[in-house]
Amino acid sequence: MSRDLENLAARAAPAIFVVLWSTGFIGTKYVIHNADPLTYLALRMAVVVGLMAVIVAIARPAWPNRTEIGHSIVAGILVHGFYLGGTAVAISLSIPAGLSALIPGLQPILTSTIANRWLGERVTPLQWSGLLLGLAGVVLILHDRPMSGQAGWGWFASAVSLVSITLGTLYQRRYCGRIDWRSGNLVQYAAVAVFFTAGAFMFENRVVHWTAEFTLALAWLAVVLSIGSIGLLYWLIRRSAVTSVASLFYLVPAVTAIMAYVLFDERLDTIAIVGMVACAAAVFLVNRRA
């Protein structure tokens, strides 16, 4: 790859990641109509494991040692297990797709606080200003939303997603950065497939309606999200400080809300739109080096 093409890819990668990650919430809304959340996730991970096994068989990358396998399993349960599980459960409890991304959108605040202490990354005053602006934006988007009953459990599931993706990103950065992404991801997805399958057998009836909508959405989520966007996320983590990578998640609620408006007619009021603009400004500030 030429230097110019590599630089272009590096500049385009964050925008591509935000768009792809946002489609995960949209795709989940489609599949939840036809299967319980953990059952759908078990099927998704089974497909991903099969695809990753083919990639590993062809590429023959270095295999992680026993310690690295353990780290990969932990990172997989955090990044994929509780994060995806929490998101799917939230949407199954009638949290709109456009809002299901909001609580995980707080990740940059939590990530920066932990990274500052755990990874020794310096967060500048300008970046802290951006992080606080992003938090204010999320608060504006969440104004006047129901927080009790079924919706309350849905928000709780989203909070689990927030903590999980935050810890998983930091854990991946610290312990899995030198593991080949192909073999490492295969280990992660195999562990998560077992995790979701066990959950489906314990808590759900495992009925699936194999409609065209379900099949297409499942294929998108398995191939584009679990392999494409996760691979891109880990590539970004290797190239950038986790604070900057985490700041991209501020854009996900806004992009998801736009998609949900077009596809599901989910509407946001003026205050929520102002909050999304604040989130976009926060990403700019957090990614400034000064």
Side-chain angles (χ1 to χ4, degrees):
M1 182 182 292
S2 69
R3 176 68 62 178
D4 290 341
L5 186 58
E6 184 177 350
N7 290 336
L8 177 62
R11 288 195 296 269
I16 294 172
F17 169 77
V18 169
V19 172
L20 291 181
W21 199 268
S22 299
T23 65
F25 298 91
I26 302 300
T28 300
K29 188 174 178 70
Y30 281 116
V31 296
I32 288 301
H33 292 311
N34 299 285
D36 287 329
L38 299 183
T39 298
Y40 130 67
L41 286 167
L43 291 171
R44 173 176 168 178
M45 291 305 126
V47 173
V48 175
V49 168
L51 294 173
M52 287 304 306
V54 172
I55 293 173
V56 168
I58 294 173
R60 298 184 179 277
W63 194 253
N65 58 39
R66 183 177 300 178
T67 300
E68 291 172 335
I69 288 175
H71 286 317
S72 294
I73 291 173
V74 173
I77 296 297
L78 290 171
V79 173
H80 310 297
F82 287 106
Y83 172 72
L84 291 177
T87 298
V89 168
I91 293 177
S92 73
L93 292 174
S94 300
I95 299 298
L99 298 181
S100 62
L102 290 175
I103 296 299
L106 294 170
Q107 185 200 356
I109 298 293
L110 193 56
T111 297
S112 296
T113 302
I114 298 174
N116 190 35
R117 300 174 182 275
W118 192 30
L119 297 180
E121 293 183 4
R122 179 176 176 268
V123 183
T124 67
L126 183 63
Q127 288 178 314
W128 278 118
S129 299
L131 293 165
L132 293 175
L133 178 61
L135 176 60
V138 172
V139 170
L140 288 175
I141 297 170
L142 281 173
H143 84 286
D144 202 27
R145 303 291 177 190
M147 294 291 174
S148 59
Q150 181 171 277
W153 285 110
W155 292 121
F156 175 77
S158 291
V160 171
S161 295
L162 162 65
V163 175
S164 180
I165 190 65
T166 300
L167 296 179
T169 300
L170 292 166
Y171 197 95
Q172 178 74 24
R173 168 84 174 189
R174 182 161 186 173
Y175 296 112
C176 304
R178 297 184 179 180
I179 302 173
D180 188 284
W181 71 271
R182 294 159 295 191
S183 54
N185 277 3
L186 177 57
V187 172
Q188 290 190 16
Y189 286 127
V192 175
V194 174
F195 176 79
F196 285 132
T197 300
F201 272 91
M202 286 189 291
F203 302 115
E204 297 175 350
N205 57 22
R206 301 176 302 284
V207 174
V208 178
H209 302 291
W210 289 95
T211 64
E213 176 184 87
F214 177 83
T215 303
L216 291 174
L218 181 65
W220 176 270
L221 291 165
V223 177
V224 179
L225 268 295
S226 290
I227 294 180
S229 68
I230 289 296
L232 187 55
L233 172 64
Y234 288 171
W235 182 78
L236 288 168
I237 289 173
R238 288 189 179 95
R239 287 178 59 93
S240 307
V242 291
T243 299
S244 296
V245 174
S247 71
L248 296 174
F249 285 85
Y250 270 148
L251 286 175
V252 172
V255 175
T256 303
I258 293 171
M259 293 179 180
Y261 172 75
V262 173
L263 295 172
F264 310 126
D265 198 32
E266 293 182 3
R267 298 177 180 272
L268 296 174
D269 55 28
T270 302
I271 295 178
I273 293 172
V274 171
M276 290 183 174
V277 173
C279 289
V283 173
F284 175 76
L285 291 176
V286 170
N287 282 282
R288 289 288 298 274
R289 298 298 183 184

